[in-house]
Amino acid sequence: MNFVRKITNSDALKHIVDLPEDLQNQDVEIIILPIGDSSLFKHPTTSSHTARGALKQYANWDLIQYEQDAWEKGVQDKHEHR
């Protein structure tokens, strides 16, 4: 397997990748590896860029009516004995 390993200043990468502040303006190691099957990393073909509805098939429609106050009830159940 071919790969590339290089040490460079992170400022050279600022136009390529967003780095956290603690990695900026210092020497970093870059390792480039092939990803193999690129189909695993392709974006879905849907026009939406959100996860909304992605788990809709697992929804339990009988329980959705309880979602509105589920967090409040859970906290109340947990802490009402205090």
Side-chain angles (χ1 to χ4, degrees), residues 72-82:
E72 182 180 341
K73 178 146 176 44
V75 171
Q76 184 179 20
D77 291 347
K78 182 178 180 180
H79 298 287
E80 70 183 347
H81 67 280
R82 291 185 179 187

Side-chain angles (χ1 to χ4, degrees), residues 8-25:
T8 188
N9 190 288
S10 63
D11 290 344
L13 304 172
K14 65 183 173 184
H15 298 294
I16 300 171
V17 65
D18 293 326
L19 293 173
E21 281 190 37
D22 60 330
L23 290 178
Q24 293 178 5
N25 195 24

Side-chain angles (χ1 to χ4, degrees), residues 7-58:
I7 296 175
T8 188
N9 190 288
S10 63
D11 290 344
L13 304 172
K14 65 183 173 184
H15 298 294
I16 300 171
V17 65
D18 293 326
L19 293 173
E21 281 190 37
D22 60 330
L23 290 178
Q24 293 178 5
N25 195 24
Q26 64 176 314
D27 288 342
V28 294
E29 180 178 17
I30 303 169
I31 300 174
I32 300 175
L33 300 170
I35 60 171
D37 185 5
S38 64
S39 66
L40 299 174
F41 298 98
K42 289 185 180 176
H43 296 288
T45 57
T46 61
S47 61
S48 175
H49 293 281
T50 66
R52 184 177 210 170
L55 301 176
K56 187 176 183 179
Q57 63 190 15
Y58 302 107

Side-chain angles (χ1 to χ4, degrees), residues 50-68:
T50 66
R52 184 177 210 170
L55 301 176
K56 187 176 183 179
Q57 63 190 15
Y58 302 107
N60 185 338
W61 298 103
D62 296 331
L63 299 177
I64 288 179
Q65 62 182 335
Y66 302 111
E67 286 184 4
Q68 184 69 28

